[in-house]
């Protein structure tokens, strides 16, 4: 039984150079020759004895692994600095391959930090929500006579009228027990409160788990709860929950029972019964496919009864764009919602939803989900059904997103992608005293006495222009330079120009070119700066 463990330890401690019987400075040809010779020697098909065949196969795999690492210049550099443990760090596959040993060491330390952060996050699983409610009804609901009476010259009064913050973390106690600590703070029109909850969850088997909850707050009072989950069959599961709230008005017991069943591969059916302050019976049907998500729900209750239907279409693009719409009607009135959702970065999703209801009015809901943190910004525009409020709530976020994405996000992303290329280009140009762009600005230039206006209408394009340098030359055609990668138009509709300060053959030069004028540098006729 000890032999496999010994083999693993020996494999982990094995030096790849010693295994291939080559020196550390071995060339690619020497590595290849040694690899071929050892493959012929250790090939499993050359041995008939089962034990010898097993040992030969193990050595053959080790030789193959050693050659794969040392024959790749990037992997070999990592192995030379950190050994086998460096190759086990996730993330090397996306790292630029032409790195010096110092850069590789720096990248290794960064990847190690990210790995430790992921491990910590997986253990604690932090989740949080921040909601900031904005009352902007004064934009649409005020009357003409109120306009003159308002202080401050009649400007619309916009205020934050409610906030909610909640956070939770998990702490594994044993392999089957987990403690969850959560808390929240809320305020609405100057009144607020908070609560804190402690939950202990135990996984009893592969089919179920249970948890006990203890809570305390300054509004509803202490809480004791119990929740149990159980897989009844491979296609059906059930959740039961009961609680006891010690409120200022006395004990308030509650309980609920929910059962769900897979109707087919993409469809789930739910049936829920609740007893307590908000007793109700709810049934829902959820169908989720690769291209769409559909929900139909019906609730019958003493306080709230409603019928709700929602549909979401998923575009098959890299940004995971989704458009959605829903209708909900009940004792409270009718609410229609529509919106869109899009992935804006690796860990961030942005969505905007317009809610139109009677008698709720019109509300714009902005949501940003980043990793396990959610940020909500509901903006209440009007208590009435005004077409102008619906129009601005629909068109406004779309135009802002398009403008920010085109004028800021795309140029910024392009500049980030250019950074590595620019570094290599500058190193190559410096080695031969070639063309180096020191500073470059694009936009509308004004007089020297109006520095504030100049800064507002000129953008720095040093990195994008250096990226266009090839063989110590920069050539721009007769077209607007706002369309170049990393550029954007800082002053639409106004006359623009390009101003460069560059170094060539150790001499500083300066040139100014009109927006649509062709440009070719270096040129000896340009103004030199001594």
């Amino acid at each position: 039984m000890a032999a496999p463990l010994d083999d693993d330890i020996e494999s982990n401690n094995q030096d790849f150079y010693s295994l291939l019987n080559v020196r550390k400075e071995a060339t690619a040809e020497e590595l290849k020759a040694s690899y071929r010779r050892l493959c012929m020697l250790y090939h499993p098909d050359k041995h008939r004895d089962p034990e010898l065949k097993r040992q030969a196969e193990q050595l053959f795999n080790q030789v193959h692994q050693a050659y794969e690492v040392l024959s790749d210049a990037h992997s070999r550099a990592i192995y030379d600095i950190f050994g086998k443990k460096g190759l086990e760090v996730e993330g090397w596959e996306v790292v630029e391959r032409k790195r010096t040993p110092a850069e590789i060491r720096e990248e290794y330390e960064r990847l190690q930090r990210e790995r430790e952060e992921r491990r910590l996050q997986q253990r604690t699983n932090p989740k949080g929500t921040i909601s900031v409610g904005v009352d902007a009804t004064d934009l649409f609901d005020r009357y003409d006579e109120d306009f003159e009476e308002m202080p401050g010259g009649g400007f619309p009064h916009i205020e934050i009228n409610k906030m909610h913050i909640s956070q939770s973390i998990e702490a594994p106690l044993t392999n089957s027990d987990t403690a969850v600590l959560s808390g929240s703070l809320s305020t609405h029109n100057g009144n607020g409160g908070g609560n804190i909850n402690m939950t202990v969850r135990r996984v009893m088997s592969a089919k179920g788990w249970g948890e006990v909850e203890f809570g305390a707050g300054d509004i509803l009072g202490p809480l004791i709860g119990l929740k149990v989950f159980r897989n009844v069959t491979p296609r059906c599961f059930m959740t039961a929950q009961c609680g006891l709230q010690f409120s200022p008005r006395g004990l308030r017991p509650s309980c609920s029972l929910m059962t769900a069943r897979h109707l087919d591969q993409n469809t789930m059916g739910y049936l829920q019964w609740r007893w307590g302050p908000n007793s109700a019976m709810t049934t829902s049907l959820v169908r989720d496919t690769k291209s769409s998500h559909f929900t139909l729900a019906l609730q019958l209750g003493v306080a709230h009864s409603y019928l709700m239907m929602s549909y979401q279409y998923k575009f098959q693009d890299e940004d995971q764009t989704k458009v959605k719409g829903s209708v909900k009607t009940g004792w409270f009135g009718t609410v229609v919602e529509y919106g869109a959702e899009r992935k804006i970065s690796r860990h961030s999703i942005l969505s905007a939803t317009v809610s139109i209801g009677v008698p709720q009015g019109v509300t714009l809901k902005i949501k940003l989900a980043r990793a396990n943190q959610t940020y909500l910004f509901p903006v209440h525009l009007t208590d009435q059904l005004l077409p102008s409020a619906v129009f601005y709530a629909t068109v406004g976020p779309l135009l802002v997103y398009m403008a920010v994405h085109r004028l800021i996000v795309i140029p910024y992303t392009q500049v980030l992608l250019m950074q590595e290329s620019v570094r290599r280009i500058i190193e190559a140009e410096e080695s031969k005293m070639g063309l180096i762009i020191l500073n470059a600005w694009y936009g509308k230039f004004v007089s020297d006495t109006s520095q504030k206006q100049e800064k507002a209408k000129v953008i720095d394009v040093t990195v994008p222009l250096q990226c266009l340098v090839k063989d110590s030359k920069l050539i721009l055609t007769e077209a607007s330079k706002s369309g170049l990668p990393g550029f954007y138009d800082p002053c639409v509709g106004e006359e623009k120009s390009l101003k460069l300060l560059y170094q060539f053959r150790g001499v500083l030069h300066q040139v100014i070119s009109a927006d649509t004028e062709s440009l070719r540098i270096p040129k000896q006729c340009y103004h030199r700066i001594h």
Side-chain angles (χ1 to χ4, degrees):
M1 294 297 293
L5 180 60
D6 293 341
D7 291 342
D8 291 340
I9 295 175
E10 183 180 354
S11 175
N12 289 332
N13 294 332
Q14 181 70 57
D15 179 69
F16 286 164
Y17 291 101
S18 299
L19 189 63
L20 293 179
N21 192 27
V22 294
R23 55 194 179 90
K24 287 194 174 183
E25 298 79 13
T27 62
E29 290 76 13
E30 291 174 341
L31 287 170
K32 190 173 184 180
S34 180
Y35 171 66
R36 286 182 175 179
R37 179 176 58 81
L38 293 175
C39 282
M40 294 179 63
L41 181 63
Y42 297 135
H43 200 286
D45 294 343
K46 293 185 179 245
H47 304 276
R48 295 184 179 180
D49 183 83
E51 182 62 24
L52 293 176
K53 189 180 184 72
R54 185 188 67 82
Q55 294 181 5
E57 184 176 0
Q58 186 178 15
L59 287 170
F60 182 83
N61 291 334
Q62 291 177 5
V63 168
H64 179 70
Q65 180 188 14
Y67 178 72
E68 276 194 336
V69 172
L70 298 183
S71 61
D72 181 82
H74 185 63
S75 300
R76 184 175 180 177
I78 297 170
Y79 176 78
D80 288 344
I81 298 174
F82 304 106
K84 290 185 67 175
K85 68 175 183 179
L87 298 169
E88 295 171 357
V89 176
E90 297 178 358
W92 287 119
E93 63 275 4
V94 297
V95 176
E96 203 275 320
R97 302 181 68 86
K98 296 180 180 179
R99 293 289 182 101
T100 64
E103 291 173 329
I104 291 177
R105 181 178 295 277
E106 181 181 349
E107 194 66 29
Y108 172 80
E109 293 173 353
R110 183 186 68 82
L111 293 173
Q112 279 286 66
R113 288 194 300 269
E114 291 183 356
R115 186 181 184 183
E116 292 301 322
E117 289 174 359
R118 286 196 300 270
R119 285 180 177 177
L120 179 61
Q121 187 170 14
Q122 289 170 358
R123 288 180 62 86
T124 59
N125 191 25
K127 297 179 181 178
T129 300
I130 297 177
S131 177
V132 179
V134 179
D135 184 0
T137 55
D138 200 41
L139 288 171
F140 299 96
D141 288 351
R142 57 186 181 144
Y143 297 95
D144 293 338
E145 55 268 21
D146 297 329
F147 182 84
E148 298 179 357
E149 296 175 359
M150 289 179 59
F155 288 102
H157 182 61
I158 300 175
E159 63 178 5
I160 296 176
N161 61 350
K162 58 183 177 180
M163 291 186 65
H164 175 78
I165 301 174
S166 63
Q167 186 72 35
S168 69
I169 57 173
E170 296 182 1
L173 304 177
T174 65
N175 291 334
S176 58
D177 297 333
T178 303
V180 182
L181 181 64
S182 61
S184 65
L185 293 171
S186 300
T187 177
H188 187 195
N189 291 330
N191 299 317
N195 63 75
I196 185 170
N197 293 69
M198 178 71 178
T199 303
V200 179
R201 182 186 303 124
R202 164 165 285 190
V203 179
M204 295 171 287
S205 67
K207 291 186 176 181
W209 51 265
E211 64 180 28
V212 179
E213 179 183 8
F214 303 93
D218 60 353
I219 299 178
L220 298 178
L223 166 70
I224 299 177
L226 176 66
K227 185 176 182 180
V228 178
F229 170 86
R230 179 75 177 179
N231 279 314
V232 182
T233 67
R235 298 175 61 88
C236 180
F237 64 87
M238 183 178 295
T239 302
Q241 185 174 2
C242 61
L244 192 61
Q245 187 88 51
F246 298 86
S247 68
R249 298 181 180 180
L251 295 179
R252 303 177 63 181
S254 64
C255 64
S256 66
L257 181 65
M258 190 271 289
T259 180
R261 180 178 175 82
H262 289 272
L263 303 180
D264 60 34
Q265 184 179 2
N266 301 311
T267 308
M268 289 286 296
Y270 298 88
L271 182 63
Q272 183 179 26
W273 170 76
R274 293 198 311 272
W275 175 80
N278 298 313
S279 299
M281 177 73 76
T282 306
T283 180
S284 58
L285 188 69
V286 179
R287 180 171 178 79
D288 190 8
T289 64
K290 185 178 180 180
S291 61
S292 64
H293 182 93
F294 174 78
T295 302
L296 178 64
L298 173 65
Q299 176 174 299
L300 299 176
V302 177
H304 299 287
S305 295
Y306 65 83
L307 174 66
M308 188 270 291
M309 181 175 63
S310 68
Y311 179 79
Q312 183 181 85
Y313 181 78
K314 307 173 186 177
F315 290 90
Q316 304 302 313
D317 58 354
E318 60 180 9
D319 294 325
Q320 302 178 12
T321 306
K322 302 174 184 178
V323 292
K324 52 188 176 181
S326 68
V327 178
K328 187 175 181 180
T329 181
W331 303 129
F332 54 83
T334 301
V335 177
V336 177
E337 293 188 348
Y338 58 89
E341 176 183 298
R342 193 170 196 180
K343 186 175 182 180
I344 58 175
S345 70
R346 182 180 178 183
H347 302 290
S348 302
I349 298 176
L350 180 65
S351 64
T353 304
V354 179
S355 177
I356 308 170
V358 178
Q360 292 84 359
V362 181
T363 301
L364 171 64
K365 302 175 183 179
I366 305 296
K367 177 181 177 181
L368 175 64
R370 179 166 178 80
N372 291 331
Q373 301 295 319
T374 303
Y375 306 90
L376 299 171
F377 302 93
V379 183
H380 189 50
L381 299 177
T382 175
D383 296 323
Q384 309 171 47
L385 292 182
L386 298 179
S388 57
V390 176
F391 174 79
Y392 285 111
T394 305
V395 178
L398 183 62
L399 293 179
V400 171
Y401 173 80
M402 293 176 62
V404 171
H405 188 261
R406 180 174 178 81
L407 300 180
I408 299 177
V409 176
I410 292 180
Y412 178 73
T413 304
Q414 290 176 342
V415 170
L416 288 180
L417 295 174
M418 293 175 183
Q419 292 290 350
E420 286 297 328
S421 298
V422 166
R423 181 180 60 82
R424 294 195 301 269
I425 291 173
I426 291 178
E427 289 177 355
E429 293 295 327
E430 285 180 341
S431 64
K432 57 185 178 182
M433 296 186 67
L435 176 60
I436 300 176
I437 308 296
L438 300 177
N439 285 299
W441 302 273
Y442 174 70
K444 181 181 179 181
F445 292 90
V446 292
S447 63
D448 295 337
T449 58
S450 305
Q451 293 296 324
K452 292 184 179 180
Q453 294 183 12
E454 183 175 347
K455 291 181 180 179
K457 295 187 178 182
V458 177
I459 60 173
D460 189 337
V461 291
T462 306
V463 172
L465 282 184
Q466 184 68 65
C467 200
L468 296 176
V469 173
K470 184 178 180 181
D471 298 331
S472 299
K473 296 179 182 178
L474 175 64
I475 302 176
L476 303 179
T477 59
E478 295 181 357
S480 177
K481 298 172 179 61
S482 61
L484 293 173
F487 281 61
Y488 69 89
D489 195 338
C491 45
V492 180
E494 299 186 47
E495 185 178 350
K496 295 171 286 293
S497 58
L498 177 65
K499 183 177 180 180
L500 291 91
L501 177 64
Y502 67 92
Q503 179 178 304
F504 182 70
R505 299 288 189 248
V507 180
L508 294 180
H509 301 264
Q510 180 176 300
V511 60
I512 298 178
S513 173
D515 185 27
T516 57
E517 180 184 357
S518 63
L519 177 65
R520 182 185 180 94
I521 60 173
K523 276 188 177 181
Q524 300 299 326
C525 59
Y526 287 145
H527 176 62
R528 295 184 179 184
I529 301 178
H530 299 284

